[in-house]
Amino acid sequence: MARRTRTFSNSFEREKATRVLAAPLPARRHDERGVRPEPAVVGDDCSGLDLPGALERLGGNAALLADLQRRFAAEHADSAREIEAFVAAYCPARAVAALHRVKGAARIVGALALAEAAESAEDAIAHGRPPSLDTFRVELRCALAQIENATFDRAPS
Amino acid sequence: MTEHSGQALVLIVDDEPVNVLLLTQGLRDDYRTRTATDGPSAITIARGADPPNLILLDVMMPGIDGYEVCRQLKSDAATRSIPVIFITSAMDEEAELRGLTAGAVDYIAKPINLRITRARIRSHLRQKQAQDRLAKLSEEDPLTGIANRRRFEDVLAREWRRNLREQEPLTLLMADVDLFKQFNDRYGHCAGDACLKRVAASLALVARRPGDLIARYGGEEFVALLADSTPEGALQAAETMRRSIRELAIPHDASPHGLVTISCGVATLVPAAHTLPANIIAAADHKLYAAKAAGRDAVAV
């Protein structure tokens, strides 16, 4: 997949958005051995989260965006597997419904590339075409990794 | 607005937890919120004891979709007036038209902008409050605060149809303040108004079972529709009303009784296909005249 770059059209800088988001999050949990896990790796082909856009829609409420990101990660970590299972089991309605939910939630947290991939797969299934779930899977992994990294970045040292 | 809290209740109907979190957190400073993750639960909450003042409704949900939920809410008299706003990512013209045709007042696209959503909710709640006030005014007698004639006629027509269907008797009491013109001439119209208020409040205390309705029919005339009443029960209610007005002990020099009194006519009918609600009014009116002819401060059945 070609690397995509995302530019922000307004004056809101990405670094600033990340700093704002950093404040309200609790420290990431250490594992049983007391070792803080490494942040997930964000690949070169990952698009960035549109944090400025997401924040703007929330009226600048960074704490709420952080809560939403956490909820997104908790709810959709297994969504790709779930949707693939629906497709494999010839349950198009359930696959479309699940993709639709991911699409809506992804837009809220600023994962626009994931939302696009979900919409594209949703559209394909709805029209009886085979969906491109590879793209969806990659974008979901990217979004989850970016959210996790953002959470990791915000943890106090 | 609900009585037990100053805040309006917003029902959020969505099966996606991220959306639900966004809306509950985003609205919590201004509103109470409840959530439902499917259509049937939303309808149950809307028909419940603490119905929402407004519903935010997702279109795509498991089971019945948002359009169907909206249609069901709008076809039920108990939930019809609750404003519904669709919140959805299906933003093509056809989808929007479908939502508005189903009875929604507005359509908000995902991803939602919280400030815009709050502003729209505020605007629709204000509109709803104004409509509720108007509806109340259109059914209430401004002097006495009890139901007016319009409300009475609506309820009578509805009860008439119901009792026709079930072949159950319907009871109507018609009461008139005796020599009220003389009361006004003697004490003035302000005192006359005050008298009518006290009479209305007193009659309302008698006809207060669920399903009973007391209304000002016009001038110094009042009507009471009694739910599931036997002829004996209706007579007893009419007697109680008559006595309760005497017990107010409002002086009336121009009356041979020395006090404000009422006369009351009672009619009980089982609606038939060839009869009309006007028949029971005429029958009660006829009995009222009989009570007047019998010397007033009386009940005629």
Side-chain angles (χ1 to χ4, degrees):
Chain A
M1 184 178 148
R3 179 179 177 173
R4 276 185 268 180
T5 50
R6 187 168 298 282
T7 54
F8 299 114
S9 55
N10 60 21
S11 57
F12 204 119
E13 295 139 12
R14 189 172 171 195
E15 288 73 16
K16 187 175 170 189
T18 308
R19 273 203 308 280
V20 172
L21 278 167
L25 283 173
R28 194 169 184 231
R29 280 189 194 150
H30 293 197
D31 66 13
E32 291 133 10
R33 293 162 297 162
V35 177
R36 198 165 78 162
E38 287 303 310
V41 176
V42 180
D44 279 352
D45 55 353
C46 279
S47 310
L49 297 177
D50 178 16
L51 297 179
L55 262 181
E56 195 179 318
R57 283 191 295 275
L58 300 179
N61 189 338
L64 176 55
L65 180 54
D67 282 346
L68 291 167
Q69 286 181 336
R70 268 193 290 263
R71 182 64 58 89
F72 178 88
E75 285 297 325
H76 295 294
D78 285 328
S79 284
R81 200 174 13 232
E82 186 184 293
I83 290 161
E84 280 162 357
F86 289 144
V87 171
Y90 300 102
C91 299
R94 297 184 74 178
V96 165
L99 284 161
H100 186 82
R101 287 178 49 211
V102 175
K103 177 179 74 178
R107 283 181 181 156
I108 289 171
V109 297
L112 301 185
L114 171 61
E116 273 173 36
E119 186 169 26
S120 167
E122 185 186 345
D123 191 55
I125 296 172
H127 289 89
R129 298 193 306 270
S132 165
L133 289 179
D134 287 348
T135 311
F136 173 76
R137 198 184 311 107
V138 168
E139 292 297 351
L140 178 59
R141 200 168 56 229
C142 286
L144 292 170
Q146 284 160 341
I147 286 169
E148 195 178 352
N149 272 307
T151 309
F152 191 82
D153 290 346
R154 284 170 237 155
S157 55
Chain B
M1 213 68 56
T2 48
E3 292 82 10
H4 56 81
S5 150
Q7 288 185 314
L9 176 63
V10 175
L11 173 61
I12 298 159
V13 190
D14 202 313
D15 61 327
E16 170 51 51
V18 175
N19 293 336
V20 171
L21 177 66
L22 166 60
L23 288 165
T24 49
Q25 295 295 304
L27 300 179
R28 69 177 177 183
D29 289 344
D30 302 311
Y31 307 106
R32 292 186 299 131
T33 57
R34 282 191 75 179
T35 59
T37 54
D38 56 50
S41 313
I43 291 169
T44 302
I45 292 172
R47 287 176 180 157
D50 183 19
N53 300 92
L54 184 140
I55 299 174
L56 299 175
L57 183 57
D58 186 24
V59 171
M60 202 164 163
M61 287 184 297
I64 59 173
D65 66 18
Y67 299 126
E68 182 54 30
V69 173
C70 190
R71 258 192 301 275
Q72 288 191 25
L73 291 169
K74 295 300 163 186
S75 63
D76 183 342
T79 54
R80 186 175 298 152
S81 66
I82 304 172
V84 172
I85 299 177
F86 274 121
I87 295 197
T88 179
S89 46
M91 273 313 290
D92 56 283
E93 199 175 296
E94 199 55 40
E96 187 169 354
L97 190 63
R98 219 177 141 195
L100 296 173
T101 306
V105 293
D106 207 348
Y107 214 85
I108 297 178
K110 287 177 185 171
I112 66 162
N113 180 309
L114 259 188
R115 283 184 298 180
I116 301 279
T117 302
R118 281 197 206 106
R120 288 196 185 183
I121 290 172
R122 199 164 43 242
S123 162
H124 287 295
L125 281 173
R126 274 202 203 113
Q127 209 170 324
K128 169 73 166 44
Q129 281 176 318
Q131 281 169 349
D132 288 350
R133 266 200 301 273
L134 261 178
K136 191 165 182 286
L137 285 174
S138 75
E139 293 184 333
E140 191 179 276
D141 174 53
L143 175 68
T144 61
I146 63 173
N148 63 14
R149 183 168 174 164
R150 177 204 300 264
R151 166 93 175 126
F152 163 70
E153 286 175 346
D154 285 349
V155 174
L156 174 61
R158 193 183 66 215
E159 290 302 302
W160 186 267
R161 284 194 300 273
R162 187 170 70 87
N163 287 39
L164 173 64
R165 213 169 38 241
E166 294 171 5
Q167 282 300 288
E168 290 287 331
L170 188 64
T171 298
L172 178 66
L173 272 62
M174 187 171 262
D176 185 85
V177 180
D178 296 324
L179 302 169
F180 188 66
K181 181 180 179 309
Q182 288 83 336
F183 183 91
N184 269 338
D185 291 344
R186 167 72 178 81
Y187 298 100
H189 284 93
C190 286
D193 285 352
C195 170
L196 289 176
K197 281 188 196 174
R198 292 185 66 191
V199 167
S202 194
L203 296 180
L205 282 177
V206 179
R208 61 178 178 183
R209 294 177 313 165
D212 287 352
L213 177 77
I214 182 84
R216 187 178 175 200
Y217 193 65
E220 69 274 24
E221 274 190 320
F222 296 88
V223 282
L225 258 181
L226 302 182
D228 306 321
S229 192
T230 60
E232 297 75 30
L235 175 62
Q236 196 180 348
E239 271 298 334
T240 308
M241 285 181 180
R242 187 191 63 77
R243 273 200 311 274
S244 73
I245 302 307
R246 274 196 77 91
E247 283 164 9
L248 289 175
I250 303 170
H252 189 343
D253 290 350
S255 163
H257 303 287
L259 296 170
V260 168
T261 57
I262 59 165
S263 297
C264 196
V266 183
T268 301
L269 281 181
V270 178
H274 62 280
T275 58
L276 293 168
N279 291 113
I280 198 169
I281 297 175
D285 198 31
H286 183 72
K287 295 294 181 186
L288 172 61
Y289 275 90
K292 295 274 186 192
R296 301 188 178 90
D297 189 24
V299 171
V301 183

